[in-house]
Amino acid sequence: MSWLTIALAKGRLEEEVIKILIHAGYGNVIDSITRKLIFVDEMNKIKYLVVKPVDVATYVERGVADLGFVGKDSLLEQEKDVYELMDLELGNCIFAAAGFPGTLLNRGDEPLKIATKYPNITSKYFQNRQPIELIYLNGSVELAPIVGMSDIIVDLVETGSTLKANGLVILEKMIPISARIISNRVSYRFNHLRISQFLEKVKKGKDAYVGNFIN
Ligand code: PRP
């Protein structure tokens, strides 16, 4: 059996992805509490690399990892040359335009100032609709309209609590987002059987994990 290397996104998705892997019979070597970045499962011949969400697709595209678990948000923003193999239907959230209640998105020729961590998604979304001025930020984007730096933000909304805590509301729902499994194109071709077997077990693990909530 050949080895598989899998890149996992730290943070928001990490806990649920590990639970699915455990339900699939994998992943029990991963200890998300430590600062370790590589975990080796000798029995199943799998290496896990724990990386920042925005870096998952880079490891997979470059073939350092055969597979990756990552949010659709990063995939849409980065447009990496990878295959998207499975929607895990977890980590569900939505891309939204948000701001103070009543803020207008349509301003005619006047550019709408938008603060975001997702410049590509935002530009594409507003292309042919409304001129915009992008303000790129690395986080805490909700602050931008509060301090008058932007008219609105484009960001992920999960529970809505960050918007609410800052007096902002969704002005327009844009794109639904969930976690995906991606594959390196060459690995998918040359390690197809191994990857298919892994996916089959993950699919069963996902169904068992989701089933726990339904039953
Ligand atoms: C994300 C996102 C929002 C928040 C939404 O930020 O950018 O700020 O979570 O989640 P909620 O709807 O459940 O409140 P993240 O936690 O990744 O931190 P950041 O703002 O520093 O990017």
Side-chain angles (χ1 to χ4, degrees):
M1 186 165 63
S2 55
W3 278 83
L4 268 188
T5 302
I6 300 176
L8 300 177
K10 278 185 209 182
R12 183 179 288 271
L13 296 174
E14 190 175 357
E15 204 180 310
E16 282 195 290
V17 164
I18 292 173
K19 281 183 188 154
I20 285 185
L21 286 170
I22 288 171
H23 276 79
Y26 302 118
N28 57 355
V29 294
I30 307 164
D31 178 357
S32 47
I33 308 218
T34 74
R35 302 280 295 167
K36 256 179 87 166
L37 300 174
I38 299 188
F39 297 95
V40 181
D41 178 351
E42 296 281 353
M43 197 177 79
N44 292 303
K45 288 201 166 182
I46 299 178
K47 262 182 224 152
Y48 297 97
L49 313 177
V50 182
V51 304
K52 283 212 163 209
V54 288
D55 295 332
V56 169
T58 303
Y59 282 89
V60 173
E61 186 184 47
R62 290 185 161 262
V64 175
D66 302 294
L67 297 174
F69 286 69
V70 65
K72 181 72 178 173
D73 51 320
S74 301
L75 297 177
L76 287 172
E77 181 60 26
Q78 298 179 330
E79 297 183 342
K80 295 283 186 191
D81 189 20
V82 295
Y83 289 130
E84 195 179 305
L85 302 181
M86 192 188 289
D87 183 350
L88 287 166
E89 295 165 323
L90 61 84
N92 294 312
C93 44
I94 192 157
F95 261 115
F100 288 113
T103 307
L104 296 177
L105 299 185
N106 297 325
R107 306 283 176 105
D109 292 338
E110 183 202 335
L112 177 68
K113 281 194 231 164
I114 308 179
T116 188
K117 285 189 284 189
Y118 301 95
N120 293 332
I121 292 169
T122 304
S123 304
K124 262 199 199 142
Y125 188 80
F126 283 95
Q127 204 178 25
N128 305 325
R129 168 171 166 182
Q130 167 65 46
I132 61 169
E133 181 185 330
L134 272 177
I135 301 165
Y136 177 77
L137 293 175
N138 286 297
S140 305
V141 291
E142 292 81 3
L143 194 56
I146 297 173
V147 296
M149 188 160 73
S150 74
D151 300 312
I152 64 161
I153 62 170
V154 164
D155 202 7
L156 281 181
V157 180
E158 190 175 10
T159 60
S161 52
T162 311
L163 288 182
K164 198 169 170 207
N166 292 290
L168 307 177
V169 294
I170 291 180
L171 300 166
E172 188 166 299
K173 290 183 176 172
M174 293 164 54
I175 311 163
I177 296 295
S178 58
R180 309 294 160 107
I181 299 180
I182 56 169
S183 169
N184 173 270
R185 285 179 182 271
V186 176
S187 302
Y188 188 70
R189 214 166 131 210
F190 290 101
N191 213 354
H192 189 77
L193 183 63
R194 178 91 167 94
I195 288 176
S196 306
Q197 287 166 344
F198 176 81
L199 291 179
E200 211 172 291
K201 284 179 81 173
V202 169
K203 166 90 175 56
K204 283 190 186 141
K206 171 177 92 95
D207 293 345
Y209 175 61
V210 174
N212 284 346
F213 295 114
I214 297 165
N215 298 324

